[in-house]
Amino acid sequence: GLPSVGRSPSAAVYPTTLNELQGKGARAMVKISLRAKGPTVRTYGLIDTGNKLHEGVAVNEELARKLQLPIVPCDLTVGTAANDGGMDVIGRVYNISVILGDDCPSYIKEALVIPELCTPINLGCKWIEEIRGILDYSSPKQATLVVKKMKVPLVQSIDSEAESASEDEERSG
């Protein structure tokens, strides 16, 4: 079986702040902890309703390496929102245990590895559908990803709570 996602104090926090991600244009993010063969990695994943990948998930090469996942080579190009956009895929990774938010367990069977991806992990519609997730924007105060009746907050702007949590994790790691 797969190792479970733990809360070890030595878990990597990558990137360390939402500023790093939002500076690259990321909008609806979810706090996520990932674990495969290596250490638990805590980061933010982009909820990307425009991601129509068959696999439903893409990770950048740095995250795949931090998770110590073997990258199974493949030669693909995937489209982007830009009219002439395309990004090269260098391979696939498999079997990642996930904790969404603070305590919502999930799983990723397969993800494409795209070195140019501007966020560590891009979670698309197909994956949200696979986990039977629902994006809930009904509350004016807090959008959520609802999975198995658990509400995982979507982070759409930087607030002091998210920043201080990231800094606490950074100091403890």
Side-chain angles (χ1 to χ4, degrees):
L2 285 173
S4 62
V5 176
R7 299 188 194 285
S8 84
S10 64
V13 178
Y14 154 76
T16 56
T17 69
L18 287 172
N19 271 333
E20 290 176 39
L21 294 171
Q22 290 180 324
K24 296 177 180 179
R27 293 294 173 258
M29 308 291 290
V30 65
K31 189 165 82 171
I32 188 169
S33 298
L34 305 115
R35 172 101 191 220
K37 297 179 187 305
T40 298
V41 177
R42 292 187 182 108
T43 188
Y44 293 90
L46 175 65
I47 300 294
D48 184 357
T49 57
N51 169 340
K52 306 297 185 204
L53 298 173
H54 169 74
E55 297 78 4
V57 179
V59 299
N60 66 19
E61 187 175 8
E62 186 176 350
L63 179 60
R65 300 230 183 271
K66 284 181 183 291
L67 291 168
Q68 298 176 9
L69 287 165
I71 298 172
V72 178
C74 71
D75 186 21
L76 294 172
T77 300
V78 295
T80 66
N83 290 340
D84 59 349
M87 289 192 284
D88 293 332
V89 175
I90 62 166
R92 290 182 161 85
V93 292
Y94 299 90
N95 304 325
I96 306 169
S97 293
V98 173
I99 298 287
L100 294 166
D102 291 324
D103 55 6
C104 182
S106 193
Y107 187 73
I108 296 169
K109 288 186 267 187
E110 176 181 7
L112 294 180
V113 180
I114 303 173
E116 299 170 57
L117 206 59
C118 68
T119 58
I121 185 165
N122 182 306
L123 304 164
C125 292
K126 179 139 188 330
W127 184 75
I128 293 168
E129 194 176 284
E130 278 178 19
I131 65 168
R132 294 186 167 82
I134 298 168
L135 293 172
D136 181 358
Y137 288 93
S138 63
S139 167
K141 292 185 178 179
Q142 179 64 65
T144 57
L145 171 61
V146 182
V147 182
K148 299 175 192 160
K149 298 183 182 177
M150 298 179 79
K151 291 186 175 190
V152 180
L154 298 185
V155 181
Q156 295 187 352
S157 64
I158 297 170
D159 61 31
S160 57
E161 182 183 324
E163 284 300 299
S164 65
S166 178
E167 289 165 10
D168 289 347
E169 288 174 359
E170 188 175 45
R171 278 193 292 273
S172 69

